[in-house]
C-alpha cells in the first residue's frame, strides 16, 4: 500500500515537471503573439492551463500528506524539501502571474487583428508574470530530484541550502533574461529570434545538459567503486547517543578501561571433547528438482539441502568444514543463522574469519544455549552460494526429552532454475509431495525460509496450512507463550526467518503450501487418497504482534535504553561498486558508509526501523535476539516476540530491543541476499573489539 502511494507521488512529481515546464514555456512566449486578439486568447489559455497545473499541485499535496500520515519519518523529506519548493513559487504564481494574465485576457481588444502595441508586449513580457510560473517549474524539477534521485534523510540542512540555492540562482538567471526580453520587446525592437538562432540555442542547451549529466553519472559510478581491501574499523561509527570510547582505548560497562580484543579470541568455552561432531564438505553439485529441473549448484556432503544437524542444548558441538569446490574464488564459510554463538564461531568471511579456500578446512566449535529451529549457510559470497544450495537445517533439542510424534524441518527455497527464472520448492521438491502420518500424531513442522526474493518484492513468502487447526509455537527459534490455534491464516515468513507449526494429525489430509510456488506443497495424510486444498493469498496475514499471551520479559518499551539507533530504510537509483541498481539504503547510505552501531557490553540497545522505500527487507542481526516492542507505533500485545530476522514492509516501522551481551563484530543486514550484495549491510560492533580480517576483491573475502 505505502509503496503505491510512493509510486503515485513519484508519478505526480514527474507530471508536475512536465505541466509546469509547459506552463513556463507558454507564458514565456506570450509576448510573441502577433496580434491583440491572439495575445488575449493565449493569455486566457495560459490561465486555464495554470488552473489545471494547480490541480496537479493539489493532488501531489494530498498524496504527500497521506504518506506523512504513516508517520513523520515517512513524509518528512517531502514536507520539508519537495513540497515548499513547489508550493512557494506556486503561491507567487497565484499572487503575481495570475492577476497579470487576467489583465491581459480582459483587455479591450479594440482592433482585434491589429499588431500588439509596445505597451501590451511589455506587459506580456513582464517578469512578474513570467518568472513565478517558470520558478514553479524549477521547483517541480528539484522536487523530482528529491523524491526520485536523492531521497535525503534527516538532517536536511545541507539539502535545504543546496536546493533553495539552485532555485534562487535559476530564478535570477531567468529574471535577467526576461528583463532583457521585456526591454527589447517593449522598445518594439526585435521580434522572436530567428529559427536558426533558436535551434542553435536549443541544441546547445540539450548538449550542455547531456554532458553535465553523463559527467555526473560517470563520476558517481567511479566514486562508488569499493576499495580492493577494506578493514572493518575503517567504517564511520554511530554511538547511538551513548558514551564514546576514547581513541585507542575501550571501556567495560563499569567504566574500567580494557585492552582491545580480537574477534578470534571470542570463542566462548570450547574446551573438552565434542559431544557431537559433524563434517560438512562443500562441493559443486548438479541439483535436480522433483520436476526434473536442473541447477548447477553446490551442496554439503552431496545433499540438498545439506544434512540436517540435530544437536542438544549445552552440548559441545564441533563442525568441520571442508572445501572441495572447484574454482579459484570459491571460498566458503559456515554461519549458524539465529544461533547466538560466540563471535569467533559466527562464520562471516572478512569479519570473523577468512573464507575457507578450496582444499582447506575450518573447524567450528560452540555450545548452543537456545532450543529451537535454526539453519546454517555459507557466509562467503552468500547470495550466490546460499541461492545455489550451500545451506541446511540446524535444530537444537532440549537436554532431556525426545521430540514426540513427527518432528520435521521444511526448508522453502527459490531455486535459480533457468536464466532469470526461479522455482519455488520445499527442499528440492517443486511438486506436490505426500507423506503418510497416522491420525492422532503430534506434528511439528519447522518451517525455514531459505530463499532470497526478487529485488522489488514488498511482502515475504506466504505459507498456509490447511486441514487442521495449528499453532505457531515458535518464531525464529524462540517459543511463543500460550499460542492459540489458527485456521485460514497466511504466515508471512521473512527470508531467513523460521516458524514452528504444531498440530495434531486429523483423519484427513493436512496441506502445507508455499504460495509463492504453484505446486510446492507438502501433504500429510493418514493414508488413502485426497490432497486437501491450498490456502489463499486472500487470507488475513498472521500477526505475531497480537498472538498468544503476554509474559514477563527482561526489558520492555519503558526500559531505559543505553543506545538508540534509528534506521530509515529506503531505496533510490544509484551506483554501488560501479554497477547501477535501484539501491536499497539505510539512512541514505550503503556499506561501508553506513555507520557501525557501536555498543558497550551490557548495554540495552533499541533499534527503530522505518521503511519508507519501495521494497520489503528481512533484517537479520547476528549474535543476538531482539524483543519486538512495537509495530507501527503500537506495542506488542501478545506473547513476547523474539526475533533474529524481522521482515519490514514498506510503510512499516518496528521498535526492537536487545541486550548487548555477546561481544564481537556482528553483521546486521538484509537477508534478501541480493540486497546485501548491493550494500544493505551494517555492523553492530562492541567497543574494544577489533577484527584482523579484511573484506574486498583483493582479499578473497566477500560475505555477501
Ligand atoms: Cu543468514 Cu548474515 O545471515
Ligand atoms: Cu532487502
Amino acid at each position: 500500500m505505502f509503496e503505491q502511494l510512493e509510486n503515485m507521488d513519484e508519478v505526480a512529481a514527474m507530471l508536475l515537471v512536465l505541466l509546469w515546464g509547459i506552463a513556463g514555456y507558454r507564458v514565456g512566449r506570450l509576448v510573441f503573439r502577433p496580434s491583440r486578439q491572439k495575445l488575449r486568447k493565449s493569455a486566457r489559455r495560459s490561465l486555464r492551463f495554470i488552473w489545471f497545473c494547480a490541480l496537479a499541485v493539489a493532488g501531489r499535496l494530498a498524496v504527500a500528506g497521506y504518506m506523512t500520515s504513516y508517520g513523520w519519518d515517512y513524509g518528512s523529506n517531502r514536507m520539508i524539501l519537495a513540497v515548499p519548493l513547489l508550493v512557494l513559487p506556486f503561491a507567487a504564481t497565484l499572487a503575481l502571474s495570475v492577476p497579470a494574465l487576467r489583465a491581459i485576457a480582459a483587455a479591450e481588444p479594440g482592433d482585434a487583428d491589429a499588431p500588439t502595441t509596445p505597451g501590451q508586449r511589455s506587459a506580456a513580457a513582464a517578469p512578474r508574470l513570467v518568472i513565478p510560473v517558470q520558478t514553479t517549474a524549477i521547483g517541480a524539477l528539484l522536487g523530482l530530484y528529491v523524491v526520485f534521485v536523492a531521497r535525503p534523510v534527516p538532517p536536511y540542512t545541507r539539502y535545504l541550502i543546496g536546493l533553495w540555492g539552485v532555485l534562487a540562482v535559476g530564478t535570477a538567471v531567468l529574471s535577467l533574461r526576461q528583463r532583457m526580453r521585456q526591454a527589447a520587446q517593449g522598445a518594439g525592437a526585435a521580434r522572436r529570434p530567428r529559427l536558426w538562432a533558436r535551434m542553435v540555442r536549443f541544441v546547445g542547451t540539450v548538449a550542455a545538459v547531456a554532458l553535465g549529466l553523463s559527467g555526473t553519472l560517470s563520476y558517481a559510478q567511479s566514486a562508488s567503486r569499493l576499495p580492493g581491501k577494506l578493514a572493518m574499523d575503517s567504517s564511520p561509527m554511530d554511538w547511538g547517543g551513548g558514551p564514546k570510547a576514547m581513541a585507542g582505548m575501550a571501556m567495560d560497562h563499569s567504566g574500567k578501561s580494557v585492552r582491545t580484543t580480537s574477534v578470534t579470541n571470542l570463542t566462548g568455552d570450547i574446551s573438552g571433547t565434542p559431544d557431537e561432531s559433524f563434517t560438512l564438505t562443500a562441493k559443486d553439485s548438479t541439483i535436480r528438482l522433483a520436476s526434473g529441473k536442473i541447477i548447477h549448484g553446490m551442496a554439503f556432503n552431496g545433499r540438498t539441502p545439506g544434512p540436517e544437524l540435530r544437536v542438544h542444548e549445552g552440548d559441545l558441538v564441533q563442525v568441520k568444514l571442508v572445501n572441495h569446490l572447484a574454482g579459484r574464488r570459491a571460498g566458503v564459510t559456515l554461519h549458524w543463522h539465529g544461533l547466538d554463538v560466540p563471535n569467533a564461531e559466527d562464520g562471516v568471511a572478512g569479519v570473523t574469519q577468512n573464507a575457507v579456500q578450496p582444499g582447506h578446512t575450518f573447524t567450528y566449535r560452540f555450545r548452543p544455549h537456545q532450543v529451537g529451529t535454526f539453519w546454517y549457510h555459507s557466509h562467503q559470497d552468500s547470495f550466490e552460494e546460499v541461492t545455489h544450495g550451500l545451506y541446511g537445517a540446524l535444530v537444537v533439542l532440549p537436554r532431556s526429552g525426545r521430540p514426540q510424534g513427527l518432528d520435521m524441518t521444511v526448508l522453502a527455497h527459490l531455486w535459480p532454475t533457468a536464466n532469470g527464472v526461479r522455482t519455488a520448492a520445499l527442499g528440492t521438491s517443486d511438486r506436490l509431495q505426500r507423506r503418510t502420518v497416522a491420525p492422532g500424531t503430534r506434528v511439528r513442522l519447522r518451517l525455514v525460509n531459505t530463499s532470497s526474493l526478487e529485488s522489488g518484492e514488498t511482502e515475504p513468502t506466504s505459507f498456509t496450512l490447511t486441514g487442521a487447526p495449528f499453532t505457531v509455537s515458535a518464531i525464529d527459534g524462540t517459543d511463543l507463550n500460550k499460542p492459540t490455534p489458527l485456521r485460514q491464516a497466511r504466515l508471512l515468513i521473512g527470508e531467513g526467518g523460521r516458524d514452528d507449526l504444531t498440530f495434531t494429525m486429523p483423519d484427513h489430509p493436512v496441506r502445507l503450501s508455499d504460495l509463492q510456488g504453484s505446486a510446492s506443497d507438502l501433504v500429510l495424510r493418514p493414508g488413502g487418497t485426497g490432497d486437501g486444498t491450498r490456502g489463499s493469498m486472500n487470507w488475513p496475514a498472521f500477526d505475531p504482534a497480537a498472538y498468544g499471551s503476554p509474559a514477563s520479559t527482561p526489558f520492555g518499551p519503558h526500559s531505559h535504553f543505553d543506545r538508540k539507533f534509528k534506521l530509515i530504510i529506503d531505496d533510490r537509483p544509484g551506483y554501488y561498486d560501479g554497477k547501477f541498481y535501484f539501491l536499497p539504503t539505510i539512512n541514505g547510505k550503503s556499506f561501508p558508509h553506513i555507520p557501525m552501531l557501536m555498543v558497550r557490553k551490557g548495554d540495552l540497545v533499541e533499534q527503530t526501523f522505518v521503511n519508507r522505500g519501495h521494497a520489503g527487507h528481512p533484517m537479520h542481526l547476528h549474535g543476538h535476539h531482539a524483543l519486538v516492542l512495537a509495530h507501527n507505533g503500537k506495542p506488542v500485545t501478545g506473547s513476547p516476540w523474539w526475533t533474529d530476522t524481522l521482515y519490514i514492509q514498506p510503510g512499516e516501522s518496528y521498535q526492537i530491543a536487545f541486550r548487548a551481551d555477546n561481544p564481537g563484530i556482528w553483521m546486521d543486514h538484509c537477508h534478501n541476499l541480493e540486497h546485501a550484495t548491493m550494500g544493505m549491510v551494517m555492523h553492530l560492533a562492541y567497543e574494544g573489539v577489533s577484527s584482523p580480517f579484511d573484506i574486498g576483491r583483493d582479499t578473497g573475502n566477500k560475505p555477501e
Side-chain angles (χ1 to χ4, degrees), residues 288-556:
R288 186 183 297 272
L289 303 187
S291 63
K293 288 182 185 159
I294 297 281
I295 298 107
H296 298 288
M298 300 163 237
F300 285 118
N301 298 4
R303 310 228 319 249
T304 314
E308 179 171 318
L309 307 185
R310 285 201 165 225
V311 300
H312 291 87
E313 182 189 11
D315 274 1
L316 181 58
V317 177
Q318 172 172 306
V319 184
K320 183 176 174 193
L321 168 66
V322 182
N323 185 352
H324 282 171
L325 293 171
R328 236 167 10 96
R329 299 204 73 106
V332 59
T333 67
L334 284 174
H335 167 63
W336 318 100
H337 184 118
L339 203 59
D340 302 330
V341 299
N343 198 223
E345 312 298 325
D346 198 43
V348 179
V351 181
T352 64
Q353 67 172 98
N354 281 318
V356 179
Q357 295 304 322
H360 290 75
T361 69
F362 190 96
T363 302
Y364 299 87
R365 272 188 173 202
F366 52 83
R367 288 181 192 274
H369 294 295
Q370 300 148 272
V371 169
T373 307
F374 307 94
W375 61 300
Y376 63 85
H377 61 78
S378 177
H379 222 308
Q380 158 73 4
D381 214 352
S382 55
F383 177 48
E384 269 302 295
E385 296 191 356
V386 177
T387 305
H388 285 84
L390 286 184
Y391 66 88
L394 170 63
V395 175
V396 184
L397 299 168
R399 278 228 68 75
S400 56
R402 315 181 77 248
Q404 310 259 302
L406 173 65
D407 181 312
M408 75 184 279
T409 53
V410 179
L411 283 71
H413 199 70
L414 263 184
W415 292 101
T417 40
N419 319 325
V421 180
R422 306 212 282 166
T423 303
L426 300 177
T428 51
S429 174
D430 54 344
R431 289 264 167 91
L432 190 71
Q433 52 177 319
R434 301 184 181 94
R435 182 166 172 155
T436 306
V437 179
T441 308
R442 281 300 296 160
V443 181
R444 176 181 286 260
L445 295 179
R446 302 174 183 268
L447 192 46
V448 186
N449 187 357
T450 61
S451 309
S452 278
L453 288 187
E454 300 284 347
S455 231
E457 293 287 346
T458 57
E459 256 196 5
T461 320
S462 289
F463 299 88
T464 56
L465 189 87
T466 58
F470 66 97
T471 61
V472 177
S473 301
I475 295 179
D476 288 355
T478 313
D479 284 346
L480 297 180
N481 185 47
K482 304 214 181 87
T484 47
L486 297 169
R487 292 169 180 276
Q488 299 216 336
R490 194 160 56 94
L491 304 173
L492 274 62
I493 305 181
E495 294 62 47
R498 289 91 59 211
D499 276 10
D500 286 19
L501 315 183
T502 54
F503 58 93
T504 302
M505 187 63 199
D507 59 3
H508 53 262
V510 171
R511 180 162 173 156
L512 174 73
S513 307
D514 171 351
L515 296 185
Q516 172 128 310
S518 53
S520 40
D521 291 15
L522 168 69
V523 175
L524 305 180
R525 57 187 191 184
T529 54
D531 287 325
T533 49
R534 293 198 109 198
S536 154
M537 274 309 267
N538 297 325
W539 286 3
F542 166 67
D543 179 11
Y547 180 66
S549 306
S552 79
T553 50
F555 43 83

Side-chain angles (χ1 to χ4, degrees), residues 196-210:
W196 65 263
R198 271 155 50 213
M199 293 277 276
V200 167
R201 219 173 50 201
F202 178 74
V203 171
T205 312
V206 168
V209 168

